[in-house]
Amino acid sequence: MRKVAKVAVVAGSLVVGCLTAGSVVARDAGASDEQALAPTRHGPSRSIEQRVDRLLARMTTQEKLQQVQLLSDGQITDADAKAGVGGVFSLTDPAKIDHYQRIAMTQSRLHIPILFAYDTIHGYRTIFPVPLGAASSFDPDVARTDAQIGARESATVGIKQIYSPMVDVSHDPRWGRIVEGNGEDPYLGSVMAAARVKGAQGNDYSRPDRAVTSVKHFVGYGEPEGGRDYGTTDMSEQRLRNLYLPPFKAAIEAGADTVMCSFNAINGVPGCANRYTETEILKKEWGFDGFIESDYTAVAETRVCPPKTPDEGSCGHGTAADGPEAGANALMAGTDSEMVSTYLRDYGKQLLADGRISRKRLDDAVRRILRVKFRAGLFENPYVDQAKATDPASFLTPADRRAARTAAARSMVLLQNKGRTLPLDPAKKTAVIGPLADNQHDLLGAWWGRGEDADAVSVLKGITDGSSATTTYAQGCALSNEEPPDYDPADDCPSDAGFAKAVAAANDADQVVLALGETREMSGEAASRSRIDLPGRQQELIDAIAATGKPFVVVLFNGRPLTLSEVVGSAPAVLEAWFPGVEGGNAVADVVFGKVNPGGKLPVSFPQRLGQVPIYYNHEPTGRPCDVTQKYTSRYRDLRSCDPLFPFGFGLSYTSFTVSDLTLSKTTVSRRGSVVASVKVTNTGSVAGDDVAQVYLRDPVASISQPVRRLRGFERVTLRPGQSTTVRFTLDASDFGFYDNRGRFVVEPGTIQVYAGDDSTATLSRTFRVTR
Ligand code: NOJ
């Protein structure tokens, strides 16, 4: 991303505070005394605010308590709609949506429309690559297009709120939900988050093809202990602000009007009962005037489980004695809407009478919800156009499919290509082998919305269609799509009984595409893994194919970084395809046959071994940096390397590139100024291709230890053979400053190192000085 517009944004919102010993303190606008400077993203619309006020003034307490209630598709009844319930999620049948909306609009006393929501994460019907894949494109247009099409398809059935983007930074590949986010980097995550918000909302989400986004999960949900979903997290203030909050802030600045608070607790405080993050940071510092909904039963989960009956509903964190207290804590912390549990609706009157919740806060929550409904145009256009909503031509259009195919191909990362195995020759006989080869189901990945397996193009079909020669197939072995309690890892590629057929198919062909990886059930919510290698005997299948001597590529489908040391040891070519979505098989064929030159880069480090986790490029330094020749250094005794197998930002191409001529527009810059880093990228190979120019910064001497490098700009470029281009990155205080442990954004004078290249190990370097 070229950061051109950013300078102006920073100039407008950065407030320089007091000078401390040797450092300039700058604070983002919005911290209480600077609230007037907080960006109002939509500009307060007077007419909307007046309509909200008028409506609020007419509401009874019980009507307000209904507005803060969010019910699931399985919970909603006619009576709820008549009583004026605030929101419903997961309902996708347009007739039902319309049914409840008509009740709300005609039979409820105040005719307040219901806001219908859905998890359109990487597509509604037109399923795009999983977000971790889209992040690999290093191309915000991939995310933007996905969100735009997803919002349009959702809005067509009456869904005006999508529970996306998921922007949780994570360093833990065991965690199944790493698939839903943008990987380990806050800067890449911020760019992608903003792109998704803009894609879904446009400039005005009241339009019939738009929906309001809900950025989630606020906040710190990406680092549960041990990678176990929903687990607790403990983090310093500087980590919270430097690593985990930035993508949320970017999404809010891009216009996201709703936020979902997280299941987990940070520093002992559950996400949906966290006054500091919800009210102090999000609402006060950042000036967020939309609403926060809880995650699914997350309010209920803050209460203690009754002794000996741990299965009595949702419970656990133990920061509330019972349900009503859980509701009160959540509301008073800043949660505006309660998902699934109904404590505020059921006990709100009593809580008000007891003074445990305030009228002011309840009004504020309702005001926020109404504001979003007005902005969404729901009062003017509450109903679904049934003809359009039930017309198959409204979904998965040929143009949408083409966009999904482009997105999938742009998201693929070439990890290895020994002896130029790829691209394969489409005129040669290809054997397509593996559990994910003749497979539509898994290609959609976790959170497939209303995507249907039958819509998906399998690898076998894609390769068959993309080749002018014969294509053959052998499964080799199968993976299990069962869910707990029926799922048994021993059922994943459990035997080599099918290997002989696979080997025969390989022997009989000129080349092999080996489709391996995880099932779509292995990542996503509640899908953490204790090992991150290829499940079952898939490695043995690779070895068996390797023994044939035929050229082959392992195409990987997975929702997390895997440990691939053995795979890259035995396969000449490895292509990371993630879960590529509905056009997956075609996109694989495009890349494998060289119609598309892969240009994706890893948005997350791939460890050599699970024991290295967490391993990420922007770690902080230590007094004893890893040196495998020295004992007393920060290393593993049983590893002969300090590095991940593949670093962040890494990805190969069918051509080669050089990144050179790093220059800075100046060598001294004031804390309010900016410097332009320019770098030349040249295609030195013989085919056209994409590279991603990346610029990293390091502040080597600071008041608190700074990461060894941090991505602060990237640009994906397409170059013909021999062609060069110069990419420019504007760097300013937002790039060379950082948050300290008091939550202040500081810009300290001193040297800043700039690194440029096409992955996070870039060595090209220059320095500039930041002056007072
Ligand atoms: C739970 C998940 O954590 C969240 O991401 C999702 O939006 C809600 N369920 C609603 O489906």
Side-chain angles (χ1 to χ4, degrees), residues 545-629:
I545 300 302
T548 67
K550 298 285 177 175
F552 74 102
V553 55
V554 168
V555 182
L556 291 169
F557 301 89
N558 48 295
R560 54 163 57 76
L562 299 174
T563 42
L564 298 173
S565 297
E566 272 193 85
V567 176
V568 298
S570 50
V574 180
L575 178 70
E576 176 55 82
W578 306 107
F579 291 113
V582 72
E583 281 288 318
N586 284 332
V588 166
D590 289 344
V591 171
V592 160
F593 290 136
K595 222 165 121 184
V596 173
N597 190 348
K601 303 278 184 175
L602 293 179
V604 57
S605 309
F606 275 42
Q608 301 182 46
R609 283 199 202 147
L610 180 58
Q612 288 180 299
V613 165
I615 183 166
Y616 48 99
Y617 86 93
N618 51 350
H619 60 87
E620 283 143 21
T622 152
R624 309 251 177 122
C626 178
D627 177 348
V628 287
T629 67

Side-chain angles (χ1 to χ4, degrees), residues 2 57-58 83 88-89 106 120 138 151 154 198 245 279 325 344 346 355 361-362 390 428 470 543 598 620 656 708 739:
R2 264 174 236 200
R58 294 175 59 208
V88 176
F89 71 99
T106 59
T120 301
F138 275 67
S154 306
K198 287 183 187 148
L245 284 173
T279 297
E325 185 168 282
L344 286 168
D346 297 346
R361 175 68 194 104
L362 177 61
T390 52
K428 288 187 174 167
T470 314
D543 295 338
E620 283 143 21
S656 51
V708 294
Y739 286 93

Side-chain angles (χ1 to χ4, degrees), residues 409-710:
R410 286 180 80 74
S411 301
M412 291 180 193
V413 186
L414 183 62
L415 296 178
Q416 176 157 284
N417 196 18
K418 281 191 192 153
R420 296 182 186 242
T421 304
L422 292 180
L424 301 180
D425 184 347
K428 288 187 174 167
K429 185 171 181 179
T430 309
V432 181
I433 295 172
L436 290 142
D438 186 15
N439 183 313
Q440 294 169 290
H441 177 84
D442 291 304
L443 261 51
L444 299 185
W447 294 108
W448 52 90
R450 298 289 301 182
E452 294 176 13
D453 293 359
D455 297 336
V457 178
S458 70
V459 177
L460 178 57
K461 170 108 174 68
I463 295 289
T464 306
D465 292 353
S467 164
S468 54
T470 314
T471 303
T472 58
Y473 164 70
Q475 188 187 35
C477 62
L479 298 170
S480 166
N481 293 108
E482 296 286 359
E483 289 285 23
D486 300 322
Y487 172 64
D488 181 348
D491 295 336
D492 287 321
C493 190
S495 114
D496 62 1
F499 288 13
K501 264 196 187 164
V503 166
N507 277 323
D508 186 44
D510 301 312
Q511 53 198 11
V512 177
V513 173
L514 196 46
L516 306 174
E518 302 181 301
T519 64
R520 77 182 188 193
E521 289 80 11
M522 286 182 197
S523 58
E525 187 178 349
S528 297
R529 289 183 63 199
S530 67
R531 45 193 299 175
I532 56 167
D533 51 1
L534 281 179
R537 298 176 72 169
Q538 294 185 85
Q539 180 62 45
E540 289 172 51
L541 181 56
I542 301 178
D543 295 338
I545 300 302
T548 67
K550 298 285 177 175
F552 74 102
V553 55
V554 168
V555 182
L556 291 169
F557 301 89
N558 48 295
R560 54 163 57 76
L562 299 174
T563 42
L564 298 173
S565 297
E566 272 193 85
V567 176
V568 298
S570 50
V574 180
L575 178 70
E576 176 55 82
W578 306 107
F579 291 113
V582 72
E583 281 288 318
N586 284 332
V588 166
D590 289 344
V591 171
V592 160
F593 290 136
K595 222 165 121 184
V596 173
N597 190 348
K601 303 278 184 175
L602 293 179
V604 57
S605 309
F606 275 42
Q608 301 182 46
R609 283 199 202 147
L610 180 58
Q612 288 180 299
V613 165
I615 183 166
Y616 48 99
Y617 86 93
N618 51 350
H619 60 87
E620 283 143 21
T622 152
R624 309 251 177 122
C626 178
D627 177 348
V628 287
T629 67
Q630 300 295 321
K631 178 170 167 68
Y632 293 101
T633 67
S634 181
R635 56 168 296 204
Y636 294 98
R637 184 178 171 84
D638 56 356
L639 267 185
R640 299 218 161 269
S641 153
C642 303
D643 305 320
L645 185 63
F646 295 113
F648 174 86
F650 171 83
L652 301 172
S653 165
Y654 298 156
T655 187
S656 51
F657 294 96
T658 57
V659 180
S660 64
D661 299 15
L662 173 61
T663 57
L664 301 179
S665 60
K666 44 179 105 145
T667 50
T668 303
V669 59
S670 80
R671 60 178 191 253
R672 288 172 174 280
S674 62
V675 52
V676 178
S678 311
V679 75
K680 189 170 153 192
V681 188
T682 307
N683 182 343
T684 54
S686 52
V687 289
D690 287 10
D691 198 16
V692 180
Q694 302 167 35
V695 65
Y696 296 85
L697 295 190
R698 178 176 188 189
D699 182 348
V701 183
S703 54
I704 57 170
S705 185
Q706 288 302 294
V708 294
R709 54 185 62 190
R710 296 185 292 127

Side-chain angles (χ1 to χ4, degrees), residues 89-90 118-119 121 162-164 166 168 177 180 214 216-217 221 229-230 260-263 293-297 339-340 447 525:
F89 71 99
S90 287
Y118 192 59
D119 286 290
I121 310 293
I162 59 173
Y163 292 153
S164 164
M166 190 282 214
D168 294 312
R177 302 199 78 170
E180 294 174 51
S214 184
K216 66 189 188 184
H217 306 83
Y221 182 49
D229 208 359
Y230 318 119
M260 185 184 291
C261 53
S262 67
F263 284 126
E293 76 267 339
S294 81
D295 203 339
Y296 199 109
T297 63
M339 190 192 283
V340 176
W447 294 108
E525 187 178 349

Side-chain angles (χ1 to χ4, degrees), residues 3 6 184-188 238 241-243 246 616-621 648 694-700 702 704-714 731-739 745-748 751-756 759-760 762 768 770:
K3 294 185 299 171
K6 238 178 104 202
E184 73 190 29
D185 184 63
Y187 180 80
L188 175 64
Q238 68 88 8
R241 291 195 179 252
N242 289 316
L243 291 180
Y616 48 99
Y617 86 93
N618 51 350
H619 60 87
E620 283 143 21
F648 174 86
Q694 302 167 35
V695 65
Y696 296 85
L697 295 190
R698 178 176 188 189
D699 182 348
I704 57 170
S705 185
Q706 288 302 294
V708 294
R709 54 185 62 190
R710 296 185 292 127
L711 182 71
R712 294 309 302 174
F714 63 85
L731 304 165
D732 56 40
S734 67
D735 301 300
F736 35 84
F738 58 88
Y739 286 93
F745 191 77
V746 296
V747 182
E748 298 180 345
T751 299
I752 300 286
Q753 289 165 346
V754 182
Y755 295 92
D759 69 42
S760 58
F768 64 88
V770 178

